[in-house]
Amino acid sequence: MDGTLLILLQILVAAAVCWINFVAIDLFFKLPEKGGVVGAAAIGKRIEEKGGGLHGGFMMGNIVSSPDASAGTLLASCGVFIAGIPGGLLAALLVYIGNRICHDPGYAGTTGCITATFIVYGFTLIGFSAAAFIAGMVIAILTIQGISHVHASRLLSRLWKVRRG
Amino acid sequence: MGCAIVAVYAALRVALESDTLRKLPFLNVLSFAVAGSIALIIPHPLSIVAAAAYFVGSTLESNAIASTFAGGLDRRE
Amino acid sequence: MPSPAPLQEDWIAVNEVLVLAFAILVILGALLTIRESDPFRKLISLGIMIGGVMPFIVDRGLLDVAIAIALIAPLSTLFTLMVCGRGES
């Protein structure tokens, strides 16, 4: 029972770390500025019609239509879980290829993957399991894309205003 | 196990969402959950490639669906 | 209803909860594909079904087959979209 509780706690901490990592990198690479492709812009506008924020909607559309830092964080956790640091770097290469397939420059995804590799590896050194980071990343993306589009996009728009200054 | 529950939740949200474009973020959550499960089920080096291939394929699919739905296939260049 | 197995960090085999969850995904995806009438919504529902099928293939150790399916399924979607694409911009 105690072990289960510990693992749940690890997953929650991992979710928070993953959330901060991918949102910070997506904001740094200006994903909420505009829809990268036609489909991303359309998703952003549709979310705004429902009552959400426009720039948060653009960022959600970009996450949907090309592998960005969130995908990088997930695949880096998978890579570290399976093969340590080399696995994470292999995942970064795959994310870069995937970004190029999806008409994307690929900076956000690759950078997010590399930083996430070292973050996850650092947390495994202090006793976290990398599997907790995979589950944590799934929970983190659930909070952005899966609970309420309106509130998530408003939150992201507010963060984007802070970033733009 | 948590990943599978999240996947079922995302599938239910996709099923219940009425607007076609707003289904796509939930489908993205589903593909995150499935890619995570693939890596958790078999810890083998090739499963990184499998998870990445599934994830990239699924985003490409969402991208194509959204772009076509918004008008015209995405043919830039 | 057996109590759910504790979440161990090194579980490998797919247990009953996972089989149930992914089976729900496959069945739900198939039923939705039948029910929807719009082609785009049909394709999204097919995406759910393929997402449910993948873990079963991976569980049998057929990772190469899984990679091949992960690459072929979006390609077939692309071709279908080329046929049913609406409104050339």
Side-chain angles (χ1 to χ4, degrees), chain A residues 7-138:
Chain A
I7 288 172
L8 283 180
L9 202 66
Q10 278 189 11
I11 290 177
L12 283 182
V13 173
V17 170
C18 290
W19 199 94
I20 291 170
N21 181 41
F22 89 82
V23 171
I25 287 175
D26 280 353
L27 288 176
F28 181 75
F29 282 101
K30 298 186 174 170
L31 255 79
E33 192 172 22
K34 58 179 181 357
V37 292
V38 186
I43 291 176
K45 293 211 180 73
R46 194 61 66 91
I47 287 173
E48 193 202 14
E49 279 171 20
K50 191 73 192 288
L54 182 63
H55 291 290
F58 281 161
M59 176 163 157
M60 287 161 72
N62 280 327
I63 291 177
V64 168
S65 57
S66 103
D68 69 322
S70 54
T73 311
L74 178 78
L75 293 174
S77 319
C78 294
V80 174
F81 173 64
I82 290 165
I85 291 240
L89 296 180
L90 171 67
L93 177 67
L94 292 170
V95 168
Y96 180 71
I97 295 172
N99 269 312
R100 297 307 302 164
I101 292 176
C102 293
H103 306 286
D104 198 45
Y107 305 125
T110 319
T111 316
C113 199
I114 291 171
T115 56
T117 302
F118 289 105
I119 289 172
V120 174
Y121 185 69
F123 271 94
T124 57
L125 291 184
I126 62 168
F128 279 64
S129 93
F133 274 83
I134 301 178
M137 187 59 220
V138 173

Side-chain angles (χ1 to χ4, degrees), chain C residues 11-84:
Chain C
W11 49 268
I12 291 175
V14 170
N15 58 24
E16 293 87 359
V17 180
L18 285 180
V19 170
L20 191 67
F22 292 120
I24 288 175
L25 281 192
V26 175
I27 295 169
L28 189 69
L31 288 180
L32 274 179
T33 313
I34 296 170
R35 250 190 84 243
E36 303 282 3
S37 54
D38 182 50
F40 295 99
R41 301 168 72 106
K42 266 190 201 293
L43 285 173
I44 292 175
S45 312
L46 266 183
I48 301 178
M49 199 183 76
I50 291 170
V53 167
M54 289 295 287
F56 287 109
I57 299 169
V58 171
D59 179 46
R60 302 297 184 270
L62 307 173
L63 287 170
D64 42 359
V65 180
I67 294 171
I69 291 179
L71 296 177
I72 291 169
L75 280 183
S76 56
T77 305
L78 276 180
F79 289 132
T80 317
L81 279 172
M82 279 180 191
V83 174
C84 71

